[in-house]
Amino acid sequence: MSVATSVCAPLPVLGGDVIVPLADGREVPYAALDYAASAPALQRVWDDVAAYAPYYGSVHRGAGYLSQLSTELFEKARRTVAGFLGCREDDQVVFTRSTTDSLNLLAAALPEGCQVFVFETEHHAALLPWRHARVSCLPAPRGPREAVALLERALADRDPHGPALVCVTGASNVTGELWPVAELAAAAHAHGARIVLDAAQLAPHHPVSVRDLDVDWVAFSGHKLYAPFGSGVLAGRADWLRDAEPYLAGGGASRSVVRRPDGGVEVAWHEGAARHEAGSPNVIGAHAIASACQALTEAGFENLVARERHLIDRVRAGLADVPGVRFLSLFGADAPRVGVLSFVVDGWDSADFATALSTGYGIGVRAGLFCAHPLVRTLLGGDPAAEGDCETPGDLNAVRVSFGAGTPDEHVDRFVRAVRELVATPCGQRTADGRRVPATAG
Ligand code: PMP
């Protein structure tokens, strides 16, 4: 294969030496190629978490030394994340559980009468939280320019006096394609709307700057950013968050609580990030995210992007001449993208194909509609409005391979070899429980 190899080494991640069984009884090292679902922990993150663990203590709730230390670590993590995201001076960083949680938090903080604009191509986490607002769902654009034009048109028709929010992904979890975030932000602001960036798939692969992109909020998940310890982030403008009811009611969010003479309870809520962080904060999760932010920054996104480009090219070049393998794309084969590629294979059900990659080669990928049903249906030529089930195999589903900073060349090379072999033996064979495996697996 004639692909340039002058790229940085993969970052050390956990799980690189895990051995898994194959259907034929052999054992091989696991090839984790499902980063878009959840990425392995960076070794650096694991080490930082392990180094802190003995000092673990409650956050914002204790006079003891370890509580003080843990509180300082938690607040330091907030500052690190703010730096990583290029936040503005008065932006707020709220620790949540995930991107889903972050976007639901923002949805609960929308001002009265807010209109929300989303493309049908969004992940369900970005498509669905706005169900209590007026939602305009825009059709799938066939290029970045069309995306901006569609949004401009929709915003021009809206009530210019009411509040409005645009929610858009930075990188698709299905095609990996990059969306024109800065241009969409400019369009939103030109029409008096705000914009939240779903950076779940973007932040692990590309630098994200709230300031440079001029987005109002950004959301991402720790577990896709090599920090799988149960935390996520919503960062951005403080005003809507300050004016909203607390996302969760409870300790930590409340400044003062008194029993009223009439038997009711009166609460004064915090105004800062704590307002939406009720309950005991996940200090390990926040520390892990901060550690990942530092590790990625130190590795240099220019190096990580170049390495990922190299891996994408390796997959593309390795499968270019294989008939029957069709990659899914909204913006065209050459559109800039992150290391997330979905495809279908003639003659194969995608779920069977993903299973064959696992049982025959020790490769972990995902098959399905990737919680982006309208988008996958559109890409597969189906009806985006059709009913279906997220995980149920059927004619309309695809295989997704995804990788990132910890992926060695060997994993994508094994994937390419596996696809070539499986395509060459489309009949495969069925195991006793009905699964299809490569013909070579005994
Ligand atoms: N947005 C995108 C683009 C995603 O890929 C995902 C996860 N697949 C989410 C949002 C939701 O992330 P989480 O499951 O961590 O809440």
Side-chain angles (χ1 to χ4, degrees), residues 282-309:
N282 177 359
V283 55
I284 290 197
H287 180 47
I289 286 185
S291 166
C293 291
Q294 275 169 337
L296 295 178
T297 303
E298 283 165 23
F301 270 108
E302 65 283 9
N303 297 323
L304 299 176
V305 168
R307 172 159 181 78
E308 205 167 297
R309 181 74 258 163

Side-chain angles (χ1 to χ4, degrees), residues 36-37 98-101 123 125 169 171 173 198 200-201 221 223-224 400:
S98 61
T99 308
T100 304
D101 202 31
H123 186 281
T169 190
N173 71 307
D198 170 0
Q201 299 295 347
S221 302
H223 72 101
K224 296 187 200 287
R400 181 180 70 189

Side-chain angles (χ1 to χ4, degrees), residues 55-72:
Y55 302 94
Y56 176 80
S58 67
V59 169
H60 297 150
R61 291 163 163 69
Y65 188 82
L66 296 194
S67 289
Q68 297 293 310
L69 189 146
S70 296
T71 301
E72 172 50 28

